[in-house]
């Protein structure tokens, strides 16, 4: 019994399918959380395509998407998520930043309108349901799973998530901008004591001043927040497309020196958080 996390896409902004991005991966944001047989998918970036094929091979047909926001790099894998074309699949999609803008269904369907995509949204075969909430809300998912949320500081809005189960928790905090010297209280409250925090680390502290106002943070700010909130481990996530493998290798070294509990997320990496037999154990599988 535990929480299983797998990174299917770790890149931000745009997919980077180039030779010097292979080690860490070029697909955009998509993280799978499995609790028993419940499938929770955090964002539908390009990494969700391979996840869809894997889910069909596993024979699992009920999924929940929790969307951080709806910029292209977090939704443009959705039309290529093969389960949406199956009539024996049930999919629910939730988002916390679109209640006053027409809702999550409107955004996902609009990206599949002609002439930008050949298959109309109305042709999807899966049983699709959509639910909008307000970032800051909390709600149960059933089976002992509980979700807390908080608003993120990002252009067009965004939502951070905390998924709790049997006293353990995973936080997904991406596409948010910090203010230097002023830790985000909403984030600190959300990640307090979490076992794993996946954090927007698009830039380094040295790069950040050039991109102020773009809606992203740094791995160093992630370390500062996680230290302050007594977090178990930090996953450095949402890598900038200009950061090739050599650059990311250096970040991995620097982060390990700064805080041994920090690691750089890679495509295909899994994290196992045990909740019963080994209540204090978190293991990484690369």
């Amino acid at each position: 019994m535990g929480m299983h996390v797998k990174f299917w896409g770790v890149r931000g902004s745009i997919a980077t399918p180039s030779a010097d991005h292979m080690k860490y991966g070029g697909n955009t944001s998509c993280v799978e959380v499995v609790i028993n047989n419940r499938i929770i998918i955090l964002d539908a970036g390009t990494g969700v395509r391979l996840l869809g094929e894997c889910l069909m091979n596993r024979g699992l047909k009920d999924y929940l998407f929790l969307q951080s926001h709806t910029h292209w790099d977090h939704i443009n894998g959705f039309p290529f998520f093969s389960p949406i074309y199956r009539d024996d699949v049930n999919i629910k999609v939730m988002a916390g930043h679109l209640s006053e803008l027409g809702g999550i269904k409107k955004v996902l369907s609009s990206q599949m309108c002609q002439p930008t995509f050949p298959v109309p949204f109305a042709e999807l075969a899966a049983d699709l349901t959509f639910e909008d909430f307000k970032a800051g809300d909390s709600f149960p998912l059933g089976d002992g799973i509980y979700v807390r949320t908080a608003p993120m500081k990002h252009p067009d809005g965004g939502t951070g998530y905390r998924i709790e189960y049997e006293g353990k928790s995973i936080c997904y905090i991406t596409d948010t901008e910090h203010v230097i010297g002023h830790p985000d209280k909403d984030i600190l409250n959300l990640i307090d004591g979490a076992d794993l925090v996946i954090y927007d680390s698009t830039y380094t502290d040295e790069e950040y001043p050039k991109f102020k106002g773009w809606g992203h943070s740094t791995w160093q700010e992630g370390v500062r927040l996680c230290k302050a909130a007594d977090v178990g481990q930090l996953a450095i996530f949402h890598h900038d497309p200009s950061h090739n493998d050599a650059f990311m290798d250096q970040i991995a070294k620097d982060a390990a020196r700064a805080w041994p509990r920090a690691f750089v997320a890679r495509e295909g990496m899994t994290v196992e958080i045990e909740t019963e037999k080994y209540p204090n154990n978190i293991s990484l599988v690369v």
Side-chain angles (χ1 to χ4, degrees), residues 66-84:
L66 297 178
Q67 285 295 135
S68 68
H69 66 304
T70 47
H71 286 162
W72 281 344
D73 53 326
H74 293 255
I75 65 169
N76 60 8
F78 189 80
F80 301 94
F81 183 62
S82 57
I84 63 176

Side-chain angles (χ1 to χ4, degrees), residues 28-49:
T28 61
S29 302
C30 180
V31 178
E32 176 192 16
V33 178
V34 182
I35 303 174
N36 298 328
N37 284 324
R38 293 288 300 273
I39 307 296
I40 302 169
I41 303 170
L42 297 163
D43 282 336
T46 59
V48 83
R49 184 185 71 84

Side-chain angles (χ1 to χ4, degrees), residues 30-277:
C30 180
V31 178
E32 176 192 16
V33 178
V34 182
I35 303 174
N36 298 328
N37 284 324
R38 293 288 300 273
I39 307 296
I40 302 169
I41 303 170
L42 297 163
D43 282 336
T46 59
V48 83
R49 184 185 71 84
L50 290 175
L51 172 56
E53 295 176 4
C54 180
L55 291 173
M56 289 292 89
N57 290 334
R58 283 190 242 160
L60 300 174
K61 299 177 180 179
D62 291 274
Y63 326 122
L64 169 67
F65 279 88
L66 297 178
Q67 285 295 135
S68 68
H69 66 304
T70 47
H71 286 162
W72 281 344
D73 53 326
H74 293 255
I75 65 169
N76 60 8
F78 189 80
F80 301 94
F81 183 62
S82 57
I84 63 176
Y85 300 99
R86 296 272 300 259
D87 62 8
D88 59 346
V89 167
N90 300 296
I91 301 172
K92 183 175 183 178
V93 185
M94 299 181 70
H97 66 298
L98 295 166
S99 297
E100 298 177 1
L101 298 172
I104 182 63
K105 181 178 181 180
K106 178 181 178 182
V107 174
L108 290 182
S109 61
S110 66
Q111 74 165 339
M112 297 180 68
C113 291
Q114 294 176 325
T116 59
F117 196 79
V119 181
F121 188 82
E123 296 298 318
L124 301 184
D127 183 4
L128 290 160
T129 59
F130 303 88
E131 183 176 331
D132 294 280
F133 62 91
K134 185 175 181 180
D137 289 349
S138 299
F139 44 86
L141 296 181
D143 300 320
I145 305 168
Y146 195 75
V147 174
R148 293 168 50 196
T149 72
M152 299 292 100
K153 294 179 173 62
H154 193 64
D156 305 309
T159 303
Y161 293 93
R162 180 183 177 118
I163 302 169
E164 301 177 337
Y165 177 69
E166 290 191 352
K168 298 295 180 177
S169 55
I170 297 163
C171 295
Y172 184 70
I173 311 294
T174 191
D175 290 66
T176 192
E177 184 163 358
H178 67 282
V179 176
I180 296 173
H182 297 277
D184 189 313
K185 292 182 180 179
D186 287 333
I187 293 177
L188 285 174
N189 288 335
L190 192 66
I191 70 173
D192 184 42
D195 295 281
L196 173 67
V197 170
I198 303 165
Y199 186 76
D200 176 3
S201 306
T202 304
Y203 307 122
T204 65
D205 275 357
E206 294 74 24
E207 293 174 310
Y208 172 72
K210 296 184 294 184
F211 301 101
K212 189 175 182 180
W214 287 34
H216 295 288
S217 192
T218 72
W219 70 262
Q220 291 100 328
E221 183 67 11
V223 167
R224 290 187 285 267
L225 289 168
C226 287
K227 282 183 175 181
D230 193 25
V231 165
Q233 289 192 325
L234 164 67
I236 293 168
F237 180 76
H238 203 271
H239 314 321
D240 188 83
S242 69
H243 292 174
N244 60 19
D245 288 338
F247 195 101
M248 294 309 304
D249 281 342
Q250 188 60 53
I251 287 180
K253 292 176 184 177
D254 293 342
R257 283 193 294 265
W259 197 46
R261 299 184 196 176
F263 64 92
V264 175
R266 289 194 249 171
E267 248 177 71
M269 176 183 282
T270 65
V271 182
E272 303 284 352
I273 302 176
E274 298 291 343
T275 58
E276 289 184 348
K277 188 175 180 182

